[in-house]
Amino acid sequence: MIKTTLAALALAVATAAGAQDIKARIGTSLPDSHPQTLGARKFAELADKKSKGRIRIAVFSNAQLGSDQQMQAALRGGTQEFTVPSTATLANLVKEFGVIGLPFSFASEQQADAVLDGPFGQSLLARLPEKDLVGLAFWENGFRNITNSRRPIARAEDVVGLKLRTMQKSLYIDLFNGLGANAVPMAVNELFTALETRAVDGQENPYTVVYTQKFYDVQKYLSTTGHAYDALVLVVSKKFWDRLAPADRALLQQAAAEATVYQRQTSRALNTSLRAELVKQGMQINEVPEAERARMRERLAPVIAKYQAAVGEDTAKAFFDAI
Ligand code: PAF
């Protein structure tokens, strides 16, 4: 009893002084050169600088700590502190996040920023604590395009029959099956081998993922379907967060806000410049005409309706009102 009281007192003193040394880990699923990991490094650097070296966050890229789903589970259990999943996989925990990936919703990155940083995005983050997570910011993965080893996708019909890897989320599985492909869900860290061995014909991701994962070595065609905007979420384990002093939480929130500006700028700059690099690496890139994108959207009307209902009509309405 006395021991417990003394321990609580010691913690309280350390907390009041804001002087605890804190060590934490942030895990990403992509390589060091991808904006997901570059953002994680910036966040760690800012936390270190702002705390004068007291808060040290070690960065583990490339799924070294596990897949997106495994890392989310580790955060919830309190055995890992930070990660940056796509809203698509986060939607397996909090279904409302699925609304972000509804196909053909956003017209630009700036529109996405306004929705995600505004009351709608904040209302999504507010749902995370009930799943033992805390959301600090929305980062960017970007607009997703289809790559494959068989043919350019010039018309909606060209997707039919392709075996396409999708994220492990029912919306994406239904979306590609809805376009007539055979969707094969798997974690991104298994994808290169699946493309190389032709277990799947293709996949869909922004330019930054295609480049940093070297998919150009195993994929010939990239078609600018831009079928969905993908946001990432900087999340922290609630078990860890609740143990921090309020001043440290504020410091990390500020570091997250500054890292967000850098992460989005980096993602946009790279998504622009890497397109040319992919061509240099031998990929054939074709523009998908607007009329064909509109035809894809039409074909997906039943899938969009199904997922509007799945995330909840109120959430879907609030989302479309915010756009
Ligand atoms: O394709 C994926 O799995 C996602 O785009 C990402 C961000 C690489 C991992 O969640």
Side-chain angles (χ1 to χ4, degrees), residues 5 8 35 59 72 90-91 96 102 108 120-121 123 129 153 172 177 183 222 232 252 258 264 297 307 310 321:
T5 314
V59 181
Q72 285 171 46
L90 203 50
E96 287 80 2
L102 282 180
S108 68
F120 181 77
S123 75
I153 294 160
Y172 274 86
N177 286 336
L222 187 155
L232 308 172
L252 288 170
E258 289 174 32
R264 287 176 179 169
R297 196 186 186 291
Y307 283 91
D321 285 352

Side-chain angles (χ1 to χ4, degrees), residues 117-133:
D117 297 342
F120 181 77
Q122 299 314 300
S123 75
L124 289 182
L125 297 185
R127 292 181 182 273
L128 287 169
E130 70 201 42
K131 296 293 177 189
D132 303 316
L133 298 173

Side-chain angles (χ1 to χ4, degrees), residues 295-316:
R295 288 183 64 231
M296 289 179 193
R297 196 186 186 291
E298 260 165 44
R299 289 179 176 216
L300 290 172
V303 174
I304 294 172
K306 173 175 167 187
Y307 283 91
Q308 276 183 210
V311 297
E313 290 297 346
D314 287 354
T315 302

